[in-house]
């Protein structure tokens, strides 16, 4: 149990290290102390709002492509979790979908705290209307854009038009202004991020193995096999 606690602390430190690296390289993305160029989001990424293919057409649903919902974004990992529902090829045609390298953001939610949650798409996905996807334009690094979003959550929430629940429309999202440092610096950050992700993945695997072992030992102890 002590080992599991130490692994959990290591995971938290890895996440804090990434934030520290981002702030060191780029400064606070909202106050912009380093004086980077600032642009509305529509000038650095294509914003796409998802949709729901008609439920009256069962042929739209099948196994061709994942159909992402907000719960796939609320993940402890950087990546979208696997969708529980998929669309057919017919559904794909009428859906909104984006390529790998896009960042998906919860923009309509029952809880204000969920507004601005984000996850990275490491494969092509379709998604529902509670989500806006950002596909980086030329000159914008996809991992930098993702980090910029996750470290600007309160900035995104400030654009919400409904304080009780939460909604950031495509139009509002496109007008949010973000820092835009040189691409070479963005790429340098991606290299550090890749190292952090690798470390985090190894810690996650180790944590899962420790949890499994701890569970097995506990079961044996309670059943009197120890």
């Amino acid at each position: 149990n002590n080992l599991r606690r130490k692994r959990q602390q290591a995971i938290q430190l890895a996440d804090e290290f990434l934030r520290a690296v981002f702030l060191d390289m780029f400064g606070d993305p909202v106050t912009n102390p380093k004086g980077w160029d600032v642009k509305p989001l529509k000038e650095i990424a294509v914003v796409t709002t998802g949709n729901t293919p008609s439920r009256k057409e069962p042929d739209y649903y099948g196994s061709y492509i994942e159909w992402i919902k907000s719960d796939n974004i609320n993940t402890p990992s950087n990546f979208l979790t696997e969708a529980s529902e998929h669309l057919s090829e017919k559904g794909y045609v009428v859906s909104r979908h984006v390529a790998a390298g896009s960042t998906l953001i919860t923009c309509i939610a029952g809880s204000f705290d969920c507004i601005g949650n984000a996850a990275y798409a490491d494969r092509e996905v379709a998604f529902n209307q509670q989500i806006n996807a950002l596909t980086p334009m030329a000159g914008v690094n996809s991992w930098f854009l993702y980090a910029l979003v996750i470290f600007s959550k309160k900035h995104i929430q400030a654009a919400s038009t409904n304080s009780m629940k939460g909604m950031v429309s495509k139009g509002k999202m496109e007008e949010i202004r973000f820092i835009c440092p040189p691409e070479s610096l963005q790429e340098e950050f991606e290299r550090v991020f890749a190292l952090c992700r690798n470390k985090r993945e190894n810690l996650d695997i180790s944590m899962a193995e420790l949890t499994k072992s701890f569970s097995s030992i506990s079961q044996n102890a309670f059943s009197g096999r120890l």
Side-chain angles (χ1 to χ4, degrees), residues 28-126:
D28 185 311
V30 178
T31 59
N32 190 20
K34 293 182 181 284
W36 305 116
D37 287 345
V38 177
K39 298 180 180 179
L41 183 59
K42 63 186 178 184
E43 292 184 17
I44 61 176
V46 176
V47 181
T48 306
T49 303
N51 69 343
T52 298
S54 174
R55 293 286 187 181
K56 295 178 181 178
E57 298 288 344
D59 286 353
Y60 285 162
Y61 294 83
S63 58
Y64 181 70
I65 189 170
E66 288 174 79
W67 186 52
I68 297 293
K69 300 170 189 173
S70 294
D71 58 351
N72 301 116
I73 292 176
N74 301 340
T75 165
S77 167
N78 295 301
F79 300 105
L80 295 166
T81 60
E82 185 177 352
S84 59
E85 201 166 7
H86 293 62
L87 304 179
S88 66
E89 289 188 55
K90 283 185 178 180
Y92 174 81
V93 172
V94 299
S95 73
R96 306 270 172 77
H97 43 270
V98 288
S102 300
T103 292
L104 273 64
I105 307 173
T106 299
C107 287
I108 300 176
S111 166
F112 182 78
D113 288 343
C114 290
I115 295 294
N117 284 352
Y120 189 90
D122 57 351
R123 68 269 188 198
E124 183 183 21
V125 292

Side-chain angles (χ1 to χ4, degrees), residues 176-196:
I176 300 173
R177 298 177 70 81
F178 289 96
I179 60 170
C180 196
E183 187 178 7
S184 58
L185 200 59
Q186 295 180 32
E187 289 173 349
E188 187 180 330
F189 173 76
E190 182 190 8
R191 288 191 285 274
V192 178
F193 201 163
L195 292 172
C196 286

Side-chain angles (χ1 to χ4, degrees), residues 1-14 199-200 202-211:
N1 199 24
N2 193 40
L3 273 174
R4 290 168 68 225
R5 188 161 49 249
K6 287 185 181 299
R7 284 287 192 279
Q8 190 61 53
Q9 289 170 347
I11 289 170
Q12 187 176 346
L13 283 171
K199 178 72 172 175
R200 170 70 189 267
N202 289 337
L203 285 169
D204 285 342
I205 290 168
S206 177
M207 186 68 173
E209 289 172 349
L210 281 170
T211 300

Side-chain angles (χ1 to χ4, degrees), residues 96-172:
R96 306 270 172 77
H97 43 270
V98 288
S102 300
T103 292
L104 273 64
I105 307 173
T106 299
C107 287
I108 300 176
S111 166
F112 182 78
D113 288 343
C114 290
I115 295 294
N117 284 352
Y120 189 90
D122 57 351
R123 68 269 188 198
E124 183 183 21
V125 292
F127 50 100
N128 74 11
Q129 64 275 9
Q130 294 183 309
I131 296 165
N132 278 331
L134 313 183
T135 304
M137 293 180 178
V140 179
N141 181 279
S142 65
W143 278 108
F144 167 77
L145 179 62
Y146 166 68
L148 181 59
V149 167
I150 61 175
F151 296 136
S152 303
K153 182 174 178 177
K154 291 190 182 302
H155 191 40
I156 293 168
Q157 288 177 335
S160 174
T161 55
N162 185 338
S163 59
M164 293 300 292
K165 292 186 178 179
M167 184 178 81
V168 181
S169 67
K170 177 183 176 181
K172 283 276 189 182

